[in-house]
Amino acid sequence: MAAVDALSFDPWDPAFVSDPYPAYAELRERGRVIYYEPTDQWLVPRHADVSALLRERRLGRTYQHRFTHEDFGRTAPPAEQEPFHTLNDHGMLDLEPPDHTRIRRLVSKAFTPRTVERLKPYVRQLAGELVDRLVEAGGGDLLSDVAEPLPVAVIAEMLGIPDSDRAPLRPWSADICGMYELSPSKETAARAVRASVEFSEYLRELIAARRKEPGDDLISGLIAAHDEGDRLTEQEMISTAVLLLNAGHEATVNATVNGWWALFRNPEQLAALRADHTLVPSAVEELMRYDTPLQLFERWVLDDIEIDGTTVPRGAEIAMLFGSANHDPAVFAAPDRLDLTRAENPHISFSAGIHYCIGAPLARIELAASMTALLERAPTLALAAEPRRKPNFVIRGLEGLNVTL
Ligand code: HEM
């Protein structure tokens, strides 16, 4: 086991957040598992370990299917945060089998590669329209003009959220996602609680309306599954919808703008891509590896586990550093170089194991659609101003990305 000094890994230091990759290199050198006192977590920085631990059944996204908070040596979250935790804890991402298996099986029908493939024409058309508008305006903010509206519209459409109801989705999602950062503040928690209450209330009403008048959307599908076999409680339905709406756009928005910023910083790579649009699929993968949109995921240790001679005990928390795994030289040649032609690219950005991103095929279609539309319809797209990074570490993004033509 190695210890971390204050210099290398500091998620609250803007310099680290702006470029965490050198600190990761140091962590990977230090060892396979490193206790980090400020968050009381065990950091895992290497690709082989992250990949193996994501498939490890002695770890879990939750422990509540097996232990009470007390038995697990943890305290229950404060009572005032209950609406957030009720919402969060009933989504499949925070469940383990058998509940996870039951809900994932139902939802995955809507996300098979074949089903998602059918969305392609709609996604491409929407991406084209958004980029046309950006071009007509002579430029704008790539984040708010293209990166954000595309995945929000797609997932809202899939779930059957009417156009007129979509405005609060982004702020609700942003407020809830604040809780996924390390050690969120009381204000962050209060915002997440408010958003959880409002979002849940909205969906409860929408579910009631769809129950009376079903459509061919995913919410109507979940209601049918619920009514047929009572396989999904109403809370699970609400939590599933919120999870899909939030997970369905947050990372895609950030992957789009992180990706384009990386392209602007690597003009020879951008030029190669402009010269050969068949590089789009490998470019999407490489950009997700190069500047990983979700930097860290946690797991609880449900039964003692030994990593490299160190026993990490039951009740401990492991923080897997996805951004570090994606820059591990043991797996990626010249990992800090952006190489859009990289052929072997087993990046971990969509996770692995039972929680592997259910939306990965859709995310890939969305990212390719916006990239292709921008390459074809805005071939002279250029950075208008240096963007500012969001201060968040876990969900890595930009405040905006101003572009010109
Ligand atoms: C670039 C875009 C995306 C990235 C990088 C991403 C990444 C991830 C990761 C890393 C996980 C697993 C976390 C863990 O193992 O603890 C995950 C799970 C999930 N993602 Fe995505 N995601 C993206 C887009 C999407 C989209 C478009 C959707 C839905 C439309 C979606 C829905 C989900 C859901 C429902 C889960 C939970 C799966 C489960 O627990 O079984 N994601 N995603």
Side-chain angles (χ1 to χ4, degrees), residues 304-316:
D304 292 4
I305 184 166
E306 199 186 296
I307 305 172
D308 199 25
T310 299
T311 300
V312 185
R314 170 185 289 178

Side-chain angles (χ1 to χ4, degrees), residues 54 61 92-93 100 104 111 155 243-244 247-248 251-252 255 288 293-294 297 299 322 349-351 354-359 362-363 366-367:
L54 285 169
R61 287 272 324 184
M92 76 179 102
L93 183 53
H100 173 267
R104 181 156 173 135
F111 288 94
I155 191 66
L243 173 66
L244 286 170
T252 317
M288 261 195 301
L294 299 166
F297 279 94
R299 292 291 187 271
F322 281 30
S349 299
F350 286 122
S351 191
I354 66 165
H355 293 287
Y356 178 79
C357 179
I358 208 169
L362 178 60
E366 291 174 345
L367 292 168

Side-chain angles (χ1 to χ4, degrees), residues 211-360:
R211 179 165 275 131
K212 275 195 210 133
E213 216 174 307
D216 62 355
D217 53 82
L218 190 47
I219 287 186
S220 301
L222 294 177
I223 295 169
H226 163 81
D227 291 351
E228 278 162 21
D230 207 17
R231 284 177 295 170
L232 206 62
T233 65
E234 179 168 85
Q235 181 58 58
E236 287 169 346
M237 223 184 295
I238 291 171
S239 297
T240 300
V242 169
L243 173 66
L244 286 170
L245 283 162
N246 293 354
H249 78 271
E250 282 292 343
T252 317
V253 173
N254 294 328
T256 309
V257 291
N258 290 345
W260 273 93
W261 192 31
L263 289 172
F264 291 136
R265 293 194 320 264
N266 290 273
E268 76 302 335
Q269 290 290 305
L270 179 53
L273 181 61
R274 282 182 168 143
D276 180 3
H277 294 188
T278 65
L279 285 178
V280 166
S282 65
V284 164
E285 301 304 316
E286 173 67 348
L287 290 165
M288 261 195 301
R289 178 198 73 82
Y290 181 75
D291 202 5
T292 310
L294 299 166
Q295 290 279 317
L296 171 154
F297 279 94
E298 293 152 347
R299 292 291 187 271
W300 295 107
V301 179
L302 305 174
D303 292 303
D304 292 4
I305 184 166
E306 199 186 296
I307 305 172
D308 199 25
T310 299
T311 300
V312 185
R314 170 185 289 178
E317 196 177 27
I318 289 185
M320 292 170 295
L321 298 170
F322 281 30
S324 176
N326 280 343
H327 282 247
D328 188 340
V331 175
F332 303 100
D336 296 327
R337 204 181 68 214
L338 181 70
D339 176 4
L340 303 183
T341 64
R342 198 179 286 276
E344 279 294 295
N345 198 343
H347 68 72
I348 211 91
S349 299
F350 286 122
S351 191
I354 66 165
H355 293 287
Y356 178 79
C357 179
I358 208 169

Side-chain angles (χ1 to χ4, degrees), residues 4-11 13 15-16 22-24 26-27 30 36:
V4 186
D5 64 35
L7 290 175
S8 57
F9 179 85
D10 182 355
D13 174 4
F16 168 81
Y24 289 152
E26 205 184 312
L27 287 180
R30 284 195 192 200
Y36 186 57

